[in-house]
Structures are given as C-alpha cells and as structure tokens.
Amino acid sequence: MANPHELIDDRPDEGVFRINRAMFDDPAIFELEMRHIFEGGWVFLGLESQVTNPHDYFTINIGRVPALIQRGGDGVLRGFVNSCPHKGARIAHAACGQARQFVCPYHSWTFDSAGRNKGIKWKQGGCYTPGFDNDSHDLAPLPAFGSYKGFVFGSVTADVPPLLDWLGETAKLLDLVANQSEEGVESVPGSVTFTYEGNWKLQLENCSDNYHFTSAHPSYIRLLERRKAAEDAASNSFTSAMQSQRHWSGEDDEIVGGTFSFPYGHVLNFGVGTPTPVSPLFERFDWLTETVGEAQRDWMFNMRNLTIFPNLQVAENAASQLRVIEPISTNRTRMRTWCIGPKGESPAARKQRIRQYEDFYNPSGMATPDDTVAYEDCQRGFAGKVEPWLQGYQRGMATRKQGSSPLADRIALKPAWSIEGNSRLCDETVYQSYYREWARRMAGALA
Ligand code: FES
Ligand SMILES: [Fe+2]
C-alpha cells in the first residue's frame, strides 16, 4: 500500500504542490478514505425538502454505511443506520418514499418512523432472557445529525465538531442558496443518478476547475455561439444567461472571478455575473434587494461552485445543481444530482430553471458527459506511474494570498485563502485545500 503521507508533495516555501497518482487508484488508500473521511466525520445527506411530510424518508450511504433519514409521525427529522438490530439486514431499500413502518424483510421485526422497534415476530414463544429484554431493539441513531437552512448532515462517528463550527464561514455561502426565498430552498421533483469509472476525487476537483471549460466543452461553447447568432439579443435564452457570466469570456485584465478556501477542506470558486432577466432568480431582484441587501443579492447572481468537503457540491449558474458524491471503489463513483431552486418560485421561472438545467447538466446535458469522459481518461492514465507526480495543482500559487479579498469583503466572508483574477488565471491552488484536509483526516490512519 502507498503511504498516505507520501502521496502529497506539499512544499509551500519552495512553491511546490504535487499529488501522487496512487492517490486515485490504490484500493488500500480507498479503504482508509472510507474509514477516516466518509465514516470519520460530517457528510451531507440531503435536503429537508426531500422529507417534508410525516413518515417521508430517503436512504443514502455514509461511506459504506447505509443510512435512513426519516421524518417521524411527530414531525421530527431523524437519522439512523439502515440496519436491523436483529441480524443486520437493511430495512429500507428504496431511494425515497413514505412509510409509517418498516418490516425487516429477513425475520419481520418492525420499526416505526421514529426508529422504534414495534414488534419482534413470535416474541412470546421465543424464550428470550431478561438480558435480551433490557436491550434496546430500536434502530441505531446516527451519532451526529443536524441541519442548517434545510441542508441535512450526519456522521457515523460522534467525534466531530459542532455542525456550525465545521461549516464555519461556508454557512454564509449556503445562505446565498437558502435565502433566495423566504421559505428556503427545495429540490425540484426528480433526480438523476449516474456512475463513472473513476475516483471520487476527480469529481471533487472538477467542480472547482475553471481551467478545463474551454478545452473540455468545445461543442457546448460552439452551440452557444450558434444560438446567439440565431436569436434575438433580447430573448430569454440560456445562451445569454451563460454569456452574462464573465468568468470565461472576460477581458484580459478584468477581475472576473476567483477562489476561496476555508477550514475543513471546503472551497468556493466563483465568476462575477450580472443580474439579467435571463436568470430565473431575476423575478426576485427587488425582493432580494430589500431583504438581503445589494451585496448578497449580487453574490446570488454570481456563478458559484461550492464544495463542502467531502461529498456536497452546489453549482449555481443559470440553473442550480446539488450533487452528492458517493465513492463506490477506487475507480467507480456514483453521483446523485438534483435541480434546486427557491421555494415559491413562479411557474414561468421554474420552467425556465428546469430547461436551463437540462441544457447543461447530467448525462443528458451538454457538459457533464464531457467531464465524466475526462475523469475516465485520467483514471486510465493514472496506471502510468513512471513519473508518479501530477502537476495540476500549482496554477495561481504565486498570487494566492492568506485571508480575504475585496469581493469576499462585500458579504463579510472570511476565507482562509483567496484569489481573485482574470479569466485566464484559472486557479488550481484551490485543490490544495482538499488535500490538506485529506492529509489531516488521514493523519491517524497508519497509527
Ligand atoms: S435481520 Fe431484521 S428481522 Fe432478522
Ligand atoms: Fe466541466
């Protein structure tokens, strides 16, 4: 097995940061990641809007641990390990649904929507001891569970910082999503799940990767150009929505975006946008000005890709996507994705949001397939370890600075590191934050 501490060549004083290819394809490293990262701390589980009514539930994996998130008959949202206390079978099998009770398919023990055991088949004839009777037969609750503005998180270890401490400044970035409506954020009905043949960290990195856009998505860019030529300049098109984002088309000296890094491996990359009617959020422009103020409003119209390490990504441009990264093995990853939007959005804006969402995202969209093919290409390339060190982590290193930046200051956001620059900068140091947190979490792995 590769030594996890030797997979990162981090020498800030010499201006060097490199990642060893074994980071992505060593099964023993994957095993340690599951134990120390996905099963060793907070992970994102879902949105409260997925479980609005009593008895609503959804299932998700926390690393390798199956979890059940359910709203009880009392209206309280709870998280459990989705495993029967009898012999361990999973009791919930669907991705989501509504159930007043679950009957375990193996020996029919039953549980209510608050996780309480409501029946043990043939209990009377079972000749159980008082020792058995004194045990709880309920589902095991997740040792840490909580939500912030409708974003639900959990952990299968109790040894975690309080949720708000762990989110830190990124709570303000979740506010930019949640505060788009007085009622908060919701997932649009329907979701898309797909897998790719590559390591989970390829998706982690790609969300923060501005450098690939013009290289990996030429057909999408050509299509935008064709549409632009064909459409009236004033039309409500996704073309103009994307082209109102200056992050990939700005003048050479113009500040068009950047990246922020936060403790615990959370990062944001962003592009400065212009509020225009082609954004489905534009109908709320005046309301947002009154309720959250100009600075937050303007930030809501910026292109923003937020990663809450290790598994939540919120991508906001002309439409908004919520992604959950679920590692399956070193070279296989499942993505669960949702279109999200402000609750109470008008039908016209919602329709516009969904059309723009379909245009760009998911296996049926015009960008995601380009990305997943690139991940699979990288994964194949990782087999070559003649030169093990990868060099894709150093753009921006000479300009990265500790602390805040003018655009962060506008919303009193305090990143640990920040970069602002032109459209050609395409900072890569933002990934260093992922791997420094990775190293911190893996620190005890060898012990
Ligand atoms: S494993 Fe659930 S009842 Fe036996
Ligand atoms: Fe992409």
Side-chain angles (χ1 to χ4, degrees), residues 206 212-213 216-217 367 371:
N206 185 259
H212 81 289
F213 191 84
H217 302 302
D371 293 322

Short mmCIF file of all heavy atoms in Angstrom, two decimals, residues 206 212-213 216-217 367 371, ligand 2:
data_model
loop_
_atom_site.label_atom_id
_atom_site.label_comp_id
_atom_site.label_asym_id
_atom_site.label_seq_id
_atom_site.Cartn_x
_atom_site.Cartn_y
_atom_site.Cartn_z
N ASN A 206 -13.09 18.57 -10.21
CA ASN A 206 -13.65 19.17 -11.43
C ASN A 206 -14.61 20.31 -11.15
O ASN A 206 -14.70 21.28 -11.92
CB ASN A 206 -14.33 18.11 -12.29
CG ASN A 206 -14.81 18.68 -13.61
OD1 ASN A 206 -15.98 18.98 -13.78
ND2 ASN A 206 -13.89 18.89 -14.53
N HIS A 212 -10.57 23.83 -17.32
CA HIS A 212 -10.96 22.86 -18.34
C HIS A 212 -12.07 23.36 -19.27
O HIS A 212 -12.31 22.78 -20.32
CB HIS A 212 -11.41 21.55 -17.67
CG HIS A 212 -12.84 21.58 -17.16
ND1 HIS A 212 -13.22 22.30 -16.07
CD2 HIS A 212 -13.97 20.98 -17.62
CE1 HIS A 212 -14.52 22.14 -15.86
NE2 HIS A 212 -15.00 21.35 -16.79
N PHE A 213 -12.77 24.43 -18.87
CA PHE A 213 -14.05 24.75 -19.50
C PHE A 213 -13.93 24.90 -21.02
O PHE A 213 -14.65 24.25 -21.79
CB PHE A 213 -14.67 26.00 -18.88
CG PHE A 213 -16.09 26.23 -19.30
CD1 PHE A 213 -17.13 25.58 -18.64
CD2 PHE A 213 -16.40 27.03 -20.37
CE1 PHE A 213 -18.45 25.75 -19.04
CE2 PHE A 213 -17.71 27.22 -20.78
CZ PHE A 213 -18.73 26.57 -20.11
N ALA A 216 -12.58 21.31 -22.57
CA ALA A 216 -13.38 20.08 -22.50
C ALA A 216 -14.79 20.25 -23.06
O ALA A 216 -15.45 19.26 -23.35
CB ALA A 216 -13.44 19.60 -21.05
N HIS A 217 -15.25 21.48 -23.18
CA HIS A 217 -16.65 21.69 -23.60
C HIS A 217 -16.75 22.48 -24.91
O HIS A 217 -17.61 23.37 -25.03
CB HIS A 217 -17.42 22.42 -22.50
CG HIS A 217 -17.42 21.70 -21.18
ND1 HIS A 217 -17.90 20.42 -21.02
CD2 HIS A 217 -16.97 22.07 -19.96
CE1 HIS A 217 -17.76 20.05 -19.75
NE2 HIS A 217 -17.18 21.03 -19.09
N ALA A 367 -22.78 19.26 -20.88
CA ALA A 367 -21.47 19.45 -20.25
C ALA A 367 -21.01 18.21 -19.48
O ALA A 367 -19.86 17.79 -19.60
CB ALA A 367 -21.51 20.65 -19.31
N ASP A 371 -17.22 15.96 -19.04
CA ASP A 371 -16.45 15.87 -17.80
C ASP A 371 -16.20 14.41 -17.40
O ASP A 371 -15.09 14.04 -17.05
CB ASP A 371 -17.19 16.59 -16.66
CG ASP A 371 -17.27 18.09 -16.89
OD1 ASP A 371 -16.29 18.66 -17.40
OD2 ASP A 371 -18.32 18.67 -16.57
FE FE B 2 -16.99 20.68 -16.98
#
